[in-house]
Amino acid sequence: MTAWAAIADHISQTTGKPFEPASPRSLGGGCINTAARLSDGAREYFVKLNRAHLLDMFEAESDGLAEMAATRSIRVPQPLCYGIADGDAYLVMEYIALGRHRSDGAAAEAGRQLARMHRQSADAFGWHRDNTIGSTPQHNAWMTDWVEFWRERRLGFQLRLAAEAGYRGSLQRRGERLLAEFDALIDHAPVPSLLHGDLWGGNMSYDSEGRPVIYDPAVYYGDREADIAMTELFGGFDHDFHAAYDEAWPLDPGYRVRRDLYNLYHILNHLNLFGRGYLGQAQRLIDRLLAEIC
Ligand code: ADP
């Protein structure tokens, strides 16, 4: 059986309805995986493929999509099934025709809906399982102290990866100092919020009715400011989005400084994933944060 026949078979079993698709239409690669649309003319699915040893990554993505979908706040693709076929790992989810148009007020709606998703809380920071950020492992074992969580599971982990990749010297020295002292910047009391976790502009779009959709998450429960910070890192979220979010659930004073602290995690991850081009930005962020503490 070919991989596609096996995937179609899995879809038939999961939905309880025979699914006999035409040839898959390749959608090219995202940042990490290759993707295809599988359709029989009546039903269509979005399928992500990668090497078999990455099945765990797809399991975690499926769990993350389900956790966000359960909040019924902002649209996410419904995950359907995952597995290994012909040596490749696959994840099947609902296909959503993205980006056709954006209705009036859609960006504001996205801000309000994200605030609603962030209201979903947990008893501690983390998640019931690890996942990935890009293709980097993201450790989510629960902790009740947010500062400790951010130190151990986020910044400290990425700094160690950077050291292993050979980024030593001042990045590590100043990074270590920041790890020891950044609690001075967290002078609010965040509640654990369900986060998308990787909310850059490429992971949000609009469905054919112009409603916001988010996908490709790195879910965990954390300070909601971490999601908002990332929306400001690479652009793609406009004033209406931020104004509507802030009206629905105002950010705490001091957010502007913590934004750098939270985005440093993603910049270190980019350094570890994509290389030296991100070193200067990581160092500048660390220096700016240290200057805020002094
Ligand atoms: P990767 O994990 O490789 O980064 P993404 O999940 O970001 O892949 O998907 C790649 C692209 O495919 C997205 O930028 C988006 O345009 C599109 N896409 C993602 N999910 C869906 C979906 N469920 N239906 C249709 N298109 C999707």
Side-chain angles (χ1 to χ4, degrees), residues 18-89:
F19 182 63
E20 289 169 11
S23 302
R25 186 157 65 83
S26 170
L27 301 172
C31 292
I32 308 293
N33 307 288
T34 55
R37 173 175 165 271
L38 209 50
S39 170
D40 67 355
R43 290 187 286 157
E44 50 188 0
Y45 296 99
F46 184 77
V47 183
K48 288 168 86 158
L49 295 164
N50 212 319
R51 281 168 296 150
H53 73 276
L54 295 171
L55 179 62
D56 215 39
M57 181 174 82
F58 284 156
E59 277 183 37
E61 181 170 346
S62 176
D63 278 6
L65 289 170
E67 185 119 359
M68 293 194 300
T71 67
R72 306 176 78 82
S73 50
I74 186 162
R75 187 169 186 198
V76 300
Q78 291 282 350
L80 189 74
C81 57
Y82 49 81
I84 291 180
D86 203 20
D88 278 331

Side-chain angles (χ1 to χ4, degrees), residues 20-286:
E20 289 169 11
S23 302
R25 186 157 65 83
S26 170
L27 301 172
C31 292
I32 308 293
N33 307 288
T34 55
R37 173 175 165 271
L38 209 50
S39 170
D40 67 355
R43 290 187 286 157
E44 50 188 0
Y45 296 99
F46 184 77
V47 183
K48 288 168 86 158
L49 295 164
N50 212 319
R51 281 168 296 150
H53 73 276
L54 295 171
L55 179 62
D56 215 39
M57 181 174 82
F58 284 156
E59 277 183 37
E61 181 170 346
S62 176
D63 278 6
L65 289 170
E67 185 119 359
M68 293 194 300
T71 67
R72 306 176 78 82
S73 50
I74 186 162
R75 187 169 186 198
V76 300
Q78 291 282 350
L80 189 74
C81 57
Y82 49 81
I84 291 180
D86 203 20
D88 278 331
Y90 63 86
L91 167 64
V92 181
M93 66 186 83
E94 170 189 16
Y95 180 88
I96 301 178
L98 294 172
R100 300 262 167 84
H101 72 278
R102 177 175 138 171
S103 60
D104 284 349
E109 194 53 33
R112 278 190 292 275
Q113 291 180 346
L114 184 69
R116 213 176 312 141
M117 189 180 96
H118 284 165
R119 294 277 182 195
Q120 182 69 31
S121 195
D123 292 337
F125 300 99
W127 200 29
H128 66 86
R129 64 173 301 155
D130 293 343
N131 49 12
T132 49
I133 178 81
S135 54
T136 309
Q138 177 166 268
H139 298 294
N140 296 322
W142 298 106
M143 281 188 169
T144 50
D145 183 330
W146 172 245
V147 170
E148 274 307 298
F149 184 89
W150 199 252
R151 180 179 289 134
E152 282 298 314
R153 310 252 190 271
R154 295 294 182 260
L155 291 187
F157 179 70
Q158 291 283 349
L159 268 175
R160 282 195 293 281
L161 286 185
E164 283 163 22
Y167 301 106
R168 298 171 202 271
S170 101
L171 179 81
Q172 295 296 329
R173 271 197 316 278
R174 297 183 68 74
E176 284 298 327
R177 215 183 112 201
L178 181 66
L179 283 189
E181 297 177 11
F182 79 79
D183 51 325
L185 302 175
I186 303 199
D187 54 1
H188 66 325
V191 293
S193 285
L194 177 60
L195 305 186
H196 176 283
D198 193 9
L199 197 54
W200 68 291
N203 285 343
M204 188 181 105
S205 188
Y206 296 89
D207 69 15
S208 55
E209 282 159 51
R211 289 172 307 191
V213 187
I214 56 176
Y215 39 85
D216 201 16
V219 156
Y220 64 101
Y221 286 82
D223 184 350
R224 65 202 174 94
E225 291 181 356
D227 260 359
I228 299 301
M230 197 176 192
T231 65
E232 296 197 62
L233 184 56
F234 300 117
F237 295 81
D238 60 19
H239 171 78
D240 288 358
F241 168 86
H242 289 108
Y245 184 95
D246 216 48
E247 197 180 305
W249 194 358
L251 295 174
D252 294 323
Y255 160 71
R256 295 271 152 223
V257 176
R258 289 189 295 272
R259 180 180 60 188
D260 286 347
L261 184 70
Y262 293 146
N263 282 339
L264 177 59
Y265 173 61
H266 297 291
I267 296 302
L268 287 172
N269 188 42
H270 276 60
L271 174 67
N272 289 320
L273 282 174
F274 307 122
R276 180 160 289 279
Y278 288 92
L279 183 58
Q281 195 177 357
Q283 277 170 324
R284 279 193 300 280
L285 277 177
I286 292 174

